[in-house]
Amino acid sequence: MSAVIPPEILRHDWDRAELLALFELPFTELLHRAASVHRRHFDPAEVQVSTLLSVKTGGCPEDCGYCPQAQRYHTGVEATKLMSAEAVLDKARQAKAAGASRFCMGAAWRSPKDRDIPKVAEMIRQVKSLGLETCATLGMLGHGQAQALKDAGLDYYNHNLDTAPEHYGDIIRTREYQDRLDTLEHVREVGMKTCCGGIVGMGETREQRAGLLQALANLPAHPDSVPINRLVQVAGTPLHGTALLDPFEFVRTIAVARIAMPRSMVRLSAGREEMSDELQALCFAAGANSIFYGEKLLTTGNPDVERDQALFARLGLRSMQVAAESATVHAEIVEPACGQAA
Ligand code: SAM
Ligand code: DTB
Ligand code: SF4
């Protein structure tokens, strides 16, 4: 095996066999390659920190087999109305004080109604005024809707491919893969950054995990952020009871994502609450450089802030600061708590 790693360029022509071959490397070799790529593009001690808020929970008409917010599954999640901009601002202030640099607003919609857009736009304006990066995940978006959100100051739009194209129909039937690609195109067209990843541990094969990463890396532009979620199994959803994924296979998925999309933020996303500190450390070593931070994801749990601060301190990690061009107003200076050495 050659010790020389060719300088990678941003490739959009990955074939499945190449990615599968990376998955099949000895674990230590794969980690070494991914860590080398990570260092070429980022400071490996820095981790980008996003906080999520569900601004409209549950009651969703879609049938995503993993999702506790789909109305058709009986998961105990109660449907709520859209939160007020004031209530969202309050949560965003708390997230900033705890050390988050990006605030992501999620809604359990198939797609927003046009009448919802001005309400979400107001939330975005208010969150942006705190100097936070803004992200939203609201379902499928038309071009005009994407433009209105961009005009309000939205930095990122999250819309996941979720799984490989050939596995998709086993998980979701109420919308097509192509619908997802169309939304991502509308987001790119208006100049917003994309946050796009998927879920592993949904009973897919290794080849299908490679297929998800292939679909992501071969998009016209690599997503700026790539959330890799490990399925959070929720009772009442069809995927509850799926065989658990080998934790090392999860780390391999992170490593291959890092190699295939060298300049993207690879986010160690849902599923961290059930992960040991050691497993998370392996994910950071494999090139993950972003997390969701705060005790809740959308409806399920996430490690509490104290646990993450202790983990960052033990591993010598720091939270990445907001890029200057993303932060408009800095009304107050809040020292990020996450990432400060103990
Ligand atoms: N409703 C919008 C949509 O689906 O596009 C936005 C919110 S939706 C909850 C955002 C993403 O969360 C999904 O695409 C999926 O990747 C992830 N997600 C939802 N439930 C999950 C679970 N139980 N485990 C891991 N990830 C999950
Ligand atoms: C993403 O890829 N993961 C986040 C975010 N984007 C919106 C959502 C995870 C949701 C986990 C299940 C829940 O809390 O409801
Ligand atoms: Fe609805 Fe989004 Fe959940 Fe699918 S993932 S059921 S679209 S909230």
Side-chain angles (χ1 to χ4, degrees), residues 52 68-69 104 137 158 160 198 227 229 232 269-270 292 297-301:
L52 269 172
Q69 302 199 68
C104 180
T137 181
N158 166 247
N160 290 338
N229 298 277
V232 178
S269 301
F292 283 124
L297 292 166
L298 291 172
T299 65
T300 64

Side-chain angles (χ1 to χ4, degrees), residues 60 62 64 66-67 69-70 108-109 175:
C60 184
E62 300 291 277
C64 312
Y66 47 74
C67 188
Q69 302 199 68
W109 286 326
R175 76 174 92 154

